[in-house]
Amino acid sequence: MAPSKRADAPTNGETQARKKARFSDRDGDPAARTIYTDRDNDSDANNANQNGDDEVADYTQRNLEDSEDEDMDTQRASQLIQQRRHLTMDNMPADNGVIESVTCINFMCHNKLHVAFGPLINFIIGHNGSGKSAVLTALTLCLGGKATATNRGQSLKSFIKGGEESATLIVQLKNQGQSGYQQETYGESIIVERHFSRAGASHFKMKSASGRVISTKKADLEEICDYFALQLDNPMNALTQDMARQFLSNSTPADKYKFFMKGVQLEQLDQDYQLLEEFIDQTESKLVTREEDLKVLEEQASKAAARLALSDRQDTLRNKIRSYVRQMAWAQVEEQEKILHNMDNHLREADGRIEEAERKAETVEQTFNDATQASEDAHRAIEDIREGLAPLEEGRAGVRERFDRNKGELLSVQVSKDALTGKQLTNNMARGKSQHRSIRQLLTAVHSRIEKTNQDIVNEKRRLDDVNGGVHARRAQEVADAREQATEAKVEFDRHREAYPALEAELRAAQKASQDTFPKIQSKKNEIERAENSLRNFQRDQGQHMTAFHDRMPYLLRAIGEEPGFREKPVGPVGNHIRLLKPEWSSILEKALGGTLSSFIVTSIQDQALLSDMMKRINCVCPILIGNNQPIDTSQHEPDPRFDTALRVLEIDNDIVKRQLIINQAIEQTILIRDWSEATRVMYDGPKPRNVKQCFCLHNERRGWGMRLGFARGVEASSAPMPPMTGRPRMRTDSESQIRMQRDTLQYLEQEYRNMQAEARELDERVRQCQLALTRHERLKSDLRLRVQRAEDLAEKRQDELERDTVQDGRLDALIAGLKEAEEEKTLHEGSYQDAIISKEKYNEIAKELNVEMKKFDDEIKDLNAKIKKAEMKASRLAQTRYTALQEKNQAVQAIQDAKEDKQREEDARQKQAETTARFVSQASQIAARVPVDPGETGKSLEKKLTKLSEDLERFERQIGASRETLAQEAAQTRSKSRTAKEQFRELKALAQALKHALVDRQERWRQFRRFISARARAQFMYLLSERSFRGVLKTDHRLRVLDLHVEPDETKSGRGRQTKTLSGGEKSFSTICLLLSLWEAMGSPIRCLDEFDVFMDNVNRDVSLKMMIGAARRSVGRQYVLITPQSMGNVDVAGDVKIIKLSDPERGQTALPFAS
């Protein structure tokens, strides 16, 4: 920023007065303007100014000597002219830059006019209206001239022929020779076309000789005219009919001087020099201001350097801070590296656990294989024993069959006894008594054997207890304890298994909660995007209220303004007539008023139909409401003044809009309360508020939303949310406040978004914890299942040991088996004792024998069964051992899988930690290269020290007003600004001096040009007058800016001659023609045009003038002349370089007058 101007700096007027940097016109001569400069700068500037003043003084002195050099210049010019007269020169046509033809279509009064020019001298003759002047006008317009330059019309459309809509002009320029213009593009001719219409359209076409369009840009046409030096807009180069008439007859000396200066283009140079003078004046004025600004900038740079030096005294403190910052950055890196190192240790431990689990799995695998083999061997042993049991069972079955048959026969004998007669019964009584005594003896013996066996069993158990010393009882207790432990393990396992559904439900709930946050986060993100779009719209549309409406709304409003058919102009859009005084209600009121803000209001159905058609035609359809502009009084129907209403916060500039909103939207009975709880209390606590239909309030939870509180069916409380407006606001309001509120809303939404993201992360962590809990539950479940299995295995093992001890002691089992047989025998004898007959003894003997045989088979079967039972128990134990080994094998495999999964998790965590460490290293490297951390320092301790030192530095910086970086930047900026300003000042100063010297040099050259051109014109004028024996002088006073002629028709008379106003018309025209030819000699354009030059001449003067003009044209080698005259050229000696173009008489629709009738 450039330094502000000091309060005591001089104004521009004072500075210019002090500097005297002005251009003064000395005696009215622009070439004598000089520049004066104070000499209060440095030595270089003083020297430069001194040199400039010297040059100006020399220039002024030379100007004062003009009058002394005039005669000498005139004499020298006369000699040159005389020499040129005696030279024999052929007038050769120019290779390029001359006009070949002109074509006019629908131009002025001509349908089509074509004129082909010669390359040198052209006379265009014809009656009035034949198109002579139209040719010159067409040349001027087609080559880029303005309509006003022709003095024939004010605009192009005035040149279009009556009844036509457009006109075309075509000019063909010669373009031959080595100096032609872009011959490879245009060829030997350049065709310029200009088309213009009554609608105001106008365009150019530059074509090649073959008719191909090369360009349509006017700039290219101007480049062509500049290349060929075509100056058709120069009044001396192409004198129109009016200009020629004015120049020949009515021009004053001042007018002639203006023609002279403009024709030779000295006036244009003078204007350019005036612009240069003004620029130098402005530059020197700026130099004064810049010099004051330099002092301000140097002072600012010095102050900034002093403050920076004061701040640099605290470098020790800053160095400590920088050191602590570097150490803290790398201390954090070291902490992360320690975590990474610990993870590497954990990975190595995981590898060890995997190896240990694999070794254990190999051992368990071998144990399982051994148990499988033992189990299979035990089952084969059982099958072998059962093969030996089958013959015994078959033999016992045969004995048992004979025993059952014998028993059946015995029973049949007992049954037949019941059928004997009394006599037979008496005969057998004696024999039956003997058998009865025998049976009783057997019963007595059996009873004795049973008692003895019971006693033997008791004695054997006592003996076994004494021998084992209580081992059996202890083992029985161990069995009971093992079974109790197995029961407890089973209960704990069941209890643990019952907890699984709760954990699973908790996981599902956490997953559902986590999934439910995704739509909310996305919705909040969408709200943020909408808020950001609204903020951008507010900032972009600031000051452009109409952009909120339809894109074609400006066209509709323009059409409404231009349409005269409305009874009353429609009012709208409604939002354009409303200004919101409290911007915080913008969104809610925009939402509530809805499409009404974009609508138009008319007062009649006819206006509604007209406006509707207009909207459809413009493609801008909006709602149309019908209303009236009668005033409406709402003072008796408004709520308590302590409430804001929609009407009270809206400033409406149109009564019909206000009335419509009151009727349709009830804005006078809609109260506005910011707080939701306060609005609820006002609306629903106590009686219904007076004159209140509804209440708008801000949403208590969702920023940017609103709430509408009202009464359904007039009595029931109702509320509804109002989402924020998504479009641009259509009501005018304080844009800065609206932008600020939108920014606050955006910040609030972003904070909510961050909170929701944090909540989502917490829910994700909760899901992960639930998954970990389920994993731990499954692991513990496996452990508990294994514990139950092991407890049951232990109980079975104890039971097997107890049973093994019992089986090995066979005597006790034999006693128990003998007791059982004795009891069965007792039962048999008791039955036989009652029913025995004489034959009973026989059957009893057979039964005894069979019983002994069957007892033998039973003993053998019992032994084999005992062996089978023992083998089955062994097989059962081996099967249980195999099952346990299988469980342990599965657990070992699962342990390997778990160890690998743990390692994978460790590797994933290690990868994340490595990325985190790399990020910390990258961030720390951006701060500084790696530095050692002081022993005993941690990130937290360094942060405390850094905080304390930073507070000390901030306190110091508050004292000096800025930080060291800011001070350094400020010092660098002020120093740079000062250097830049000094450099710019020196460059500007040097530019001003260079421009002064250039201006003085150019003004000197300009003066010389004017001097030599004037001298040549004087000499040429005198020579041309002598063609008719006139004598005269061309007086030029550059100080008075006049050019006058003194002519004496009679060369015999002495004196300087007479002024032109005393001459006759022919003499005056002849003299003016001589002046024009004299001036043409000083012009560089290849074309000279003159219209009606002989309008005031008699035949004698016309003949002399024509010869003189032809001679002058022939001496101007290569120049093309276009001379227009309404008179004939019969008395002109036409040579090969002169072309006379006679135009056809005009067609004016004349007919014969009916005089004969």
Side-chain angles (χ1 to χ4, degrees), residues 1086-1104:
I1087 301 174
R1088 286 84 186 271
C1089 302
L1090 180 60
D1091 190 6
E1092 295 191 0
F1093 61 90
D1094 54 355
V1095 64
F1096 298 113
M1097 294 183 182
D1098 54 17
N1099 291 331
V1100 175
N1101 287 319
R1102 183 173 181 273
D1103 292 341
V1104 174

Side-chain angles (χ1 to χ4, degrees), residues 782-800:
S782 299
D783 293 342
L784 290 175
R785 183 185 291 111
L786 183 58
R787 179 181 170 189
V788 170
Q789 186 62 42
R790 287 176 177 173
E792 290 178 349
D793 292 345
L794 180 60
E796 291 293 336
K797 182 179 179 182
R798 295 289 183 263
Q799 182 65 35
D800 291 344

Side-chain angles (χ1 to χ4, degrees), residues 110-135:
H110 308 282
N111 289 327
K112 184 173 182 179
L113 175 64
H114 179 77
V115 177
F117 292 101
L120 295 173
I121 305 172
N122 296 272
F123 285 96
I124 301 177
I125 64 176
H127 295 104
N128 290 336
S130 61
K132 304 185 300 300
S133 299
V135 173

Side-chain angles (χ1 to χ4, degrees), residues 911-1132:
Q911 179 64 26
K912 291 182 181 179
Q913 182 61 32
E915 294 174 357
T916 302
T917 304
R919 186 171 64 254
F920 272 72
V921 171
S922 175
Q923 294 173 355
S925 299
Q926 294 176 2
I927 297 174
R930 184 147 194 165
V931 296
V933 181
D934 295 339
E937 294 291 352
T938 63
K940 291 184 178 179
S941 63
L942 289 171
E943 185 178 6
K944 290 180 180 179
K945 292 182 179 180
L946 181 62
T947 301
K948 183 178 182 305
L949 293 178
S950 298
E951 290 175 353
D952 295 339
L953 182 60
E954 288 177 1
R955 185 165 54 254
F956 171 76
E957 290 177 348
R958 283 196 299 270
Q959 292 175 357
I960 64 175
S963 64
R964 200 272 177 191
E965 290 75 11
T966 304
L967 293 176
Q969 184 178 5
E970 181 181 355
Q973 289 177 350
T974 54
R975 186 165 58 251
S976 175
K977 287 181 180 179
S978 179
R979 285 198 301 265
T980 303
K982 287 181 180 178
E983 184 66 25
Q984 292 176 351
F985 180 79
R986 285 194 295 269
E987 292 176 355
L988 192 60
K989 195 172 184 180
L991 175 63
Q993 294 300 327
L995 290 176
K996 286 181 183 179
H997 295 303
L999 179 60
V1000 170
D1001 181 65
R1002 289 176 179 271
Q1003 287 178 333
E1004 171 62 18
R1005 292 173 182 271
W1006 184 89
R1007 188 188 70 81
Q1008 291 178 0
F1009 289 155
R1010 186 188 63 181
R1011 171 185 166 187
F1012 295 144
I1013 292 172
S1014 300
R1016 185 165 181 170
R1018 286 195 299 271
Q1020 184 74 15
F1021 179 71
M1022 289 186 294
Y1023 179 81
L1024 292 176
L1025 286 177
S1026 66
E1027 292 286 335
R1028 200 182 165 199
S1029 301
F1030 280 22
R1031 180 173 53 83
V1033 64
L1034 181 64
K1035 299 294 292 180
T1036 304
D1037 192 335
H1038 297 299
R1039 289 185 294 274
L1040 298 178
R1041 297 179 182 273
V1042 294
L1043 187 150
D1044 201 3
L1045 309 178
H1046 290 271
V1047 178
E1048 177 56 56
D1050 188 358
E1051 62 179 355
T1052 61
K1053 293 183 179 180
S1054 60
R1056 299 181 60 184
R1058 295 180 294 169
Q1059 292 184 346
T1060 56
K1061 61 183 178 180
T1062 63
L1063 301 175
S1064 66
E1067 294 171 344
K1068 183 187 296 184
S1069 297
F1070 174 75
S1071 301
T1072 308
I1073 289 297
C1074 292
L1075 173 61
L1076 180 61
L1077 294 176
S1078 301
L1079 297 181
W1080 273 356
E1081 284 295 320
M1083 295 170 59
S1085 176
I1087 301 174
R1088 286 84 186 271
C1089 302
L1090 180 60
D1091 190 6
E1092 295 191 0
F1093 61 90
D1094 54 355
V1095 64
F1096 298 113
M1097 294 183 182
D1098 54 17
N1099 291 331
V1100 175
N1101 287 319
R1102 183 173 181 273
D1103 292 341
V1104 174
S1105 297
L1106 285 174
K1107 294 178 181 179
M1108 182 174 60
M1109 293 175 71
I1110 293 173
R1114 287 170 175 166
R1115 288 191 296 273
S1116 300
V1117 179
R1119 298 292 190 268
Q1120 184 182 35
Y1121 284 76
V1122 178
L1123 305 174
I1124 300 174
T1125 176
Q1127 303 183 28
S1128 65
M1129 300 293 294
N1131 56 347
V1132 176

Side-chain angles (χ1 to χ4, degrees), residues 522-778:
Q522 187 61 37
S523 176
K524 187 61 64 178
K525 186 176 181 181
N526 295 337
E527 287 187 31
I528 291 175
E529 291 178 355
R530 289 194 295 269
E532 289 175 344
N533 292 334
S534 297
L535 179 59
R536 284 194 294 269
N537 291 336
F538 291 157
Q539 293 173 338
R540 183 177 61 252
D541 299 338
Q542 194 172 4
Q544 301 178 3
H545 175 65
M546 293 303 294
T547 56
F549 298 98
H550 197 282
D551 294 341
R552 303 189 62 81
M553 184 63 72
Y555 301 100
L556 178 60
L557 294 177
R558 188 182 304 114
I560 291 174
E562 296 173 354
E563 176 59 49
F566 289 110
R567 295 184 178 181
E568 291 188 19
K569 291 291 184 183
V571 177
V574 169
N576 196 35
H577 296 275
I578 302 175
R579 180 176 183 82
L580 181 60
L581 303 179
K582 294 187 176 182
E584 62 266 23
W585 296 105
S586 175
S587 177
I588 294 177
L589 292 180
E590 289 273 353
K591 199 73 176 178
L593 297 179
T596 303
L597 295 176
S598 301
S599 63
F600 284 76
I601 304 175
V602 298
T603 57
S604 65
I605 297 177
Q606 293 79 2
D607 288 350
Q608 181 188 26
L610 180 58
L611 180 58
S612 177
D613 293 339
M614 184 181 295
M615 288 179 176
K616 294 177 182 177
R617 186 174 65 254
I618 298 176
N619 195 19
C620 178
V621 179
C622 301
I624 303 176
L625 308 176
I626 299 179
N628 59 69
N629 51 12
Q630 295 181 359
I632 183 171
D633 184 12
T634 62
S635 58
Q636 301 301 320
H637 305 283
E638 293 188 23
D640 194 297
R642 64 191 177 94
F643 297 121
D644 279 340
T645 64
L647 178 61
R648 292 168 185 169
V649 301
L650 298 179
E651 183 180 285
I652 305 174
D653 61 6
N654 191 288
D655 290 339
I656 192 171
V657 172
K658 181 178 180 181
R659 177 184 178 86
Q660 200 69 24
L661 292 178
I662 291 173
I663 295 174
N664 294 339
Q665 304 292 336
I667 59 174
E668 84 285 6
Q669 294 184 351
T670 300
I671 62 175
L672 308 175
I673 301 176
R674 291 177 57 88
D675 185 67
W676 175 80
S677 57
E678 176 66 16
T680 305
R681 184 188 63 78
V682 171
M683 292 294 291
Y684 303 135
D685 293 352
K688 179 180 177 182
R690 185 176 62 88
N691 294 335
V692 175
K693 289 187 176 180
Q694 59 184 352
C695 173
F696 293 150
C697 64
L698 303 184
H699 202 287
N700 57 333
E701 294 180 356
R702 307 185 69 176
R703 188 68 172 263
W705 286 56
M707 291 290 293
R708 177 192 176 279
L709 306 180
F711 299 94
R713 293 185 291 275
V715 293
E716 297 179 1
S718 65
S719 64
M722 301 179 67
M725 179 193 64
T726 57
R728 300 173 180 173
R730 293 163 292 180
M731 295 185 292
R732 292 177 287 115
T733 185
D734 183 5
S735 58
E736 294 294 335
S737 299
Q738 200 167 32
I739 291 174
R740 184 173 61 254
M741 291 176 58
Q742 190 63 27
R743 283 185 180 143
D744 294 342
T745 301
L746 180 59
Q747 292 176 357
Y748 179 81
L749 293 175
E750 289 175 343
Q751 183 61 41
E752 282 190 335
Y753 181 70
R754 289 191 291 269
N755 294 339
M756 293 177 72
Q757 284 184 321
E759 182 182 356
R761 288 192 295 270
E762 292 177 358
L763 290 174
D764 290 341
E765 179 63 21
R766 180 182 169 193
V767 170
R768 192 177 70 84
Q769 292 296 334
C770 290
Q771 290 174 342
L772 289 177
L774 278 177
T775 303
R776 288 194 296 268
H777 183 275
E778 287 296 326

Side-chain angles (χ1 to χ4, degrees), residues 92-98 100 174-180 183 188 228 1118:
M92 300 297 295
D95 291 335
N96 49 62
V98 297
E100 293 182 335
K174 189 176 182 181
N175 190 39
Q176 300 177 7
Q178 295 181 352
S179 60
Q183 284 188 336
E188 296 185 350
F228 291 132

